[in-house]
Amino acid sequence: MSTESPGVARHEDKSAFGFLIVASVFFLISGLVALIIAAKLHLPTLLGEVSWLTYGRMRPLHTNGMLFGWLLAADMGLCFYLVPRLCGVRLWSEKLGLATLGLWTFIILGAVVTLSMGINQGLEYAELPLWLDVLVTVAWVLFAVNIFATVAVRRYQQMYVSLWYILASILWTAFVYIVGNFATHFTSGVNQANLNWFYVHNAVGLIFTPLGLGIGYYFIPKAAETPLYSHRLSMIGFWSLAFVYVWTGAHHMLHGPISQWLQTVAILFSVMLMIPVWSLVWNFFATMKGQWHQLKDNVPIKFLMTGTIFYLLTCFQGPMHSLRTVNAIVSKTDWIVGHAHMAVLGAFSFFAIGGAYYALPRMLGTRLHSQSLANASFWLWLVGGLSFFVSLWIGGFLQGLQWNDATIPFIDTVKFMAPFWGVRLMGGLLMFTGILLFFWNVLITYMGRAERPEPAV
Amino acid sequence: MADYTWTSVLSIYVLMACFVVATAAFLVRAIRSGAVADDEAPKFRMLHDDEPCGRER
């Protein structure tokens, strides 16, 4: 979309831009659905008894919308932006990228229709009907072909760490998605649950984590205009994540009917996650040494470094509540809901938004419409997110203690959570306002791009 | 408690072991090809990757 000079190839970024716009639209819609279902925890009769507006229909719509409509689409768009740049060549095929975008949009719209109609496979994060699963696989293959073909013709032999993460996540996503959405049909009972939790945990761990980290590794040095602290350390983090993450899913079934040794393996590898996590956080913080003053005015850096802190907190929580004693309290409570939201909305969405705020104006050859709006969206997300996550941690922990006391009726533990869910709703409202500002800023930046040309370097 | 492990092991843990073996194979190949040599050059090069990307293909 940038202007081209005769004889010089520039990045077109059509696919990257398209994915980010589509992702922003689904971000808005999924955020609205999230607000409604959060309100339904207080007002179960809200929106009456229309079947497609019930909690059971809207909840999978929200989770799938946020995961695949917003975050994965945004990550794919940012991959289309950064991979050609890191390879020093244009994207292998913009036409293929746009075809992938068309198919992806069709899939998400198909998900909205089928889930609203109650067509649901009944497995967490794997609710989509089989024909949509097949289309997701096809779309992912198209995306993979474009990225791998771009990397294959790169100008530099040695790849920057973001490329390692993105290439690996493409392979891991295929593996995880096929196991979670197809292999589960050949099992039942506890074995199906084991496969499903492998998929649910690794949907975050082997899809959104490597994509998010690849994006962070690219945009933090770029936005701060300073080199990464250590490329070698980043590679240690990458390979340790590759060896460790796949084993951790069974920690969702601690104290369940799977063998003790499988639970122990999951706990052991969950604790070992500290290695890739700390290497990354150390690298990001050391990169920012002497650059922290940029937090004052640099909106992408605000999002990216706050995302790093949320990532650290998430990945400190994860190993801790995979320990049997802690898990006995927090498992299945609202603590886990707070933890999952901090990973997807706190860490990886902050990375994606930071990357989008950096990349979108550059794709359009313009400046962002409003730094003030971007700044306001950051504070709304930070305050809203913190109140959302912290209220659920506190409420969830106390809820778990109550569940361990057999003398307390279950319904009393539900009533006990009402004030915490109220804070969650208010936090969600702030975050949704932040999404609105983000969307508005992107829209006006696009519409007024000719009026604000990018200053010459 | 009954042990329901065996099909899980067959269906997923063997796959996971294959996954790790494949990762190890990639790592060995990457080391041999020099792709992960101790080189900090990529982190400096990426700071200037907004330049035009060579000739039209």
Side-chain angles (χ1 to χ4, degrees), chain A residues 4 8-9 85 88 90 156 158 172 190-191 194-195 218 222 228-229 231-232 239 242 246-247 250 259 262, chain B residues 3-5 7-8 13 16 19-20 27 34-35 37-40 43 45-47 49-50 52-54 56-57:
Chain A
E4 286 190 27
V8 178
R85 283 167 172 77
R90 299 176 88 173
Y156 319 108
Q158 202 149 39
W172 294 337
V190 73
N191 298 302
N194 196 16
L195 280 185
Y218 181 80
K222 292 292 285 184
L228 183 71
Y229 169 67
H231 196 254
R232 176 190 252 186
W239 287 105
V246 73
W247 303 96
S259 291
L262 289 179
Chain B
D3 188 350
Y4 295 104
T5 301
T7 44
S8 291
Y13 286 87
M16 284 154 60
F19 175 97
V20 170
L27 177 59
D38 181 20
D39 188 352
E40 297 285 327
K43 75 180 188 187
R45 192 175 59 225
M46 63 85 68
L47 290 173
D49 67 4
D50 286 325
C53 44
E56 286 275 12
R57 279 191 283 121

Side-chain angles (χ1 to χ4, degrees), chain A residues 208-231:
Chain A
F208 295 110
T209 296
L211 283 173
L213 302 189
I215 287 165
Y217 268 118
Y218 181 80
F219 285 106
I220 287 175
K222 292 292 285 184
E225 296 182 334
T226 188
L228 183 71
Y229 169 67
S230 170
H231 196 254

